[in-house]
Amino acid sequence: LIAVVDDEPEILDGMHTLLSQWGCETVCTETLEEATQGLIRHARRPDAFLVDYRLREGVSGISVIQDLQARFGTDIPAVIITGETAPDSLREVSGSGYQQIHKPLAPARLYQLLSELITSRKDKRGRVS
């Protein structure tokens, strides 16, 4: 189960399609509140969060991830998706401690990153994937 938060409907549609082709369930939403409600409806913890760095109304993807992890578990891996090139923004993303991937997304790179993060999380919890 992958939660995706992005304020562009076209991106959400594309991510849903891509992740579904990989056999993932998705909760694809534009806001933290929608993501929280969607995850509650699934009645299980997500395996990863994919969140855009810049969301509507100046909301930071970093704060969205922090809120989601506070609710669903800090051991859930998170990836910041960014098209930022400004040094201050890149420093903030790097300093967040979350994995990052740059736009435009290369599907093979995203698949590899998600696979590594989810496998690593399961291994840390004592389950072999």
Side-chain angles (χ1 to χ4, degrees):
L1 176 61
I2 309 293
V4 181
V5 182
D6 196 299
D7 58 359
E8 295 182 42
E10 304 82 26
I11 299 287
L12 292 174
D13 289 343
M15 292 298 286
H16 171 75
T17 299
L18 181 64
L19 293 167
S20 295
Q21 289 173 350
W22 295 340
C24 299
E25 290 180 76
T26 63
V27 171
C28 294
T29 66
E30 295 183 28
T31 67
L32 168 64
E33 295 77 18
E34 292 171 353
T36 300
Q37 291 305 309
L39 290 168
I40 289 170
R41 280 192 297 278
H42 272 272
R44 71 181 182 96
R45 289 167 32 113
D47 293 295
F49 301 117
L50 292 175
V51 181
D52 191 33
Y53 174 64
R54 291 223 185 267
L55 300 165
R56 278 193 195 104
E57 299 175 15
V59 174
S60 164
I62 294 169
S63 68
V64 168
I65 290 170
Q66 291 168 339
D67 287 349
L68 288 170
Q69 286 183 325
R71 172 147 190 135
F72 298 100
T74 56
D75 64 328
I76 298 170
V79 178
I80 294 281
I81 301 167
T82 184
E84 292 291 319
T85 57
D88 288 345
S89 297
L90 293 175
R91 271 193 296 278
E92 182 181 12
V93 172
S94 293
S96 71
Y98 301 120
Q99 294 289 326
Q100 60 184 294
I101 191 165
H102 293 274
K103 295 178 183 177
L105 297 180
R109 174 68 185 122
L110 179 60
Y111 183 87
Q112 176 188 15
L113 180 59
L114 284 174
S115 296
E116 290 170 0
L117 289 173
I118 292 169
T119 299
S120 173
R121 176 177 169 238
K122 288 181 179 179
D123 288 346
K124 287 179 185 174
R125 295 176 74 196
R127 289 184 267 159
V128 178
S129 56

